[in-house]
Amino acid sequence: MSQEDPSGYPYQPYGAPYGEQPPPQYGYGYGTPPPRNNGPNANAIVSLVLNLLAVVSCCNILGIPGAILAGLALGRAATDPRSARSMVMWSWILFGAGFVLTIAGFVILGVSGAFDD
């Protein structure tokens, strides 16, 4: 049997030496990956959602400015990534501070006997 395909394209048998194989066709899955967007989009979205959940569920008053900063960071991510990263960082700091203050408030109320009824 010949190694010629009826259409005229010579195929390589299984196990042919590397130098005799045709070069790979670059397409989907090969080549350089697309450039990553280094903006803080995902981080800002997560911060926005968690700050809003903290405001609604825990009455976390610091979640309001945190959510505002995360929303502003989403708007500035494409034009000014450095300030957007800074806003996202402060949004996370406000979220953490509000969470710590909420937990501390519940602990203080529990120790003082406010939940003893």
Side-chain angles (χ1 to χ4, degrees):
M1 178 169 216
S2 169
Q3 289 188 357
E4 291 288 328
D5 190 16
S7 65
Y9 181 77
Y11 69 93
Q12 296 293 323
Y14 179 75
Y18 179 74
E20 296 176 11
Q21 294 178 354
Q25 299 294 324
Y26 293 104
Y28 182 75
Y30 294 107
T32 59
R36 289 186 68 193
N37 184 2
N38 291 331
N41 285 335
N43 204 358
I45 291 171
V46 172
S47 176
L48 176 66
V49 169
L50 288 179
N51 274 304
L52 290 175
L53 282 175
V55 169
V56 172
S57 64
C58 303
C59 298
N60 182 354
I61 204 71
L62 292 178
I64 294 171
I68 291 171
L69 282 174
L72 288 173
L74 279 172
R76 290 190 187 175
T79 58
D80 192 8
R82 175 175 268 173
S83 70
R85 280 189 197 98
S86 176
M87 287 182 189
V88 170
M89 180 190 66
W90 280 107
S91 174
W92 281 112
I93 289 170
L94 287 171
F95 174 74
F99 189 72
V100 167
L101 288 175
T102 302
I103 296 297
F106 278 116
V107 168
I108 290 171
L109 287 174
V111 169
S112 69
F115 300 126
D116 289 343
D117 294 337

